[in-house]
Amino acid sequence: MEDVVRVDFKEEDQQWLVTLLNANGDTRPGEPFPASGHENYTKLEQVLARLTSLGYRPHRIPYNHVNRGWYIFDVSPLDE
């Protein structure tokens, strides 16, 4: 999907569901992955690692919510 501007992560049944949203408002599901937040690797770290592997960087990181069950990131491509 081109022109992705937002990536949503929602934890459900011990996995992260990923949704990509582009500038036109179109959505596309991403590949789900296991959710396993623990004290040495928070849920926030998990989703940030996946975001990077997808080729995006977040505009803001909610460091005060490290083990939330959902995250919404406004993003830009890593190469910008």
Side-chain angles (χ1 to χ4, degrees):
M1 174 181 269
E2 291 187 30
D3 300 323
V4 172
V5 296
R6 192 175 90 193
V7 180
D8 299 353
F9 294 91
K10 180 181 176 191
E11 185 181 14
E12 192 172 292
D13 297 327
Q14 298 183 340
Q15 67 177 357
W16 287 106
L17 305 178
V18 183
T19 304
L20 299 112
L21 177 80
N22 71 11
N24 297 326
D26 301 325
T27 61
R28 179 178 64 96
E31 183 76 28
F33 63 102
S36 62
H38 53 79
E39 100 181 30
N40 293 325
Y41 193 59
T42 66
K43 292 178 182 183
L44 178 60
E45 290 172 308
Q46 263 191 322
V47 298
L48 289 174
R50 179 54 59 112
L51 200 58
T52 300
S53 74
L54 290 170
Y56 302 103
R57 62 179 171 79
H59 295 176
R60 276 183 288 219
I61 299 173
Y63 289 110
N64 55 337
H65 298 288
V66 296
N67 282 307
R68 191 179 262 177
W70 56 271
Y71 293 96
I72 297 172
F73 295 102
D74 292 327
V75 297
S76 296
L78 283 174
D79 57 4
E80 274 190 2

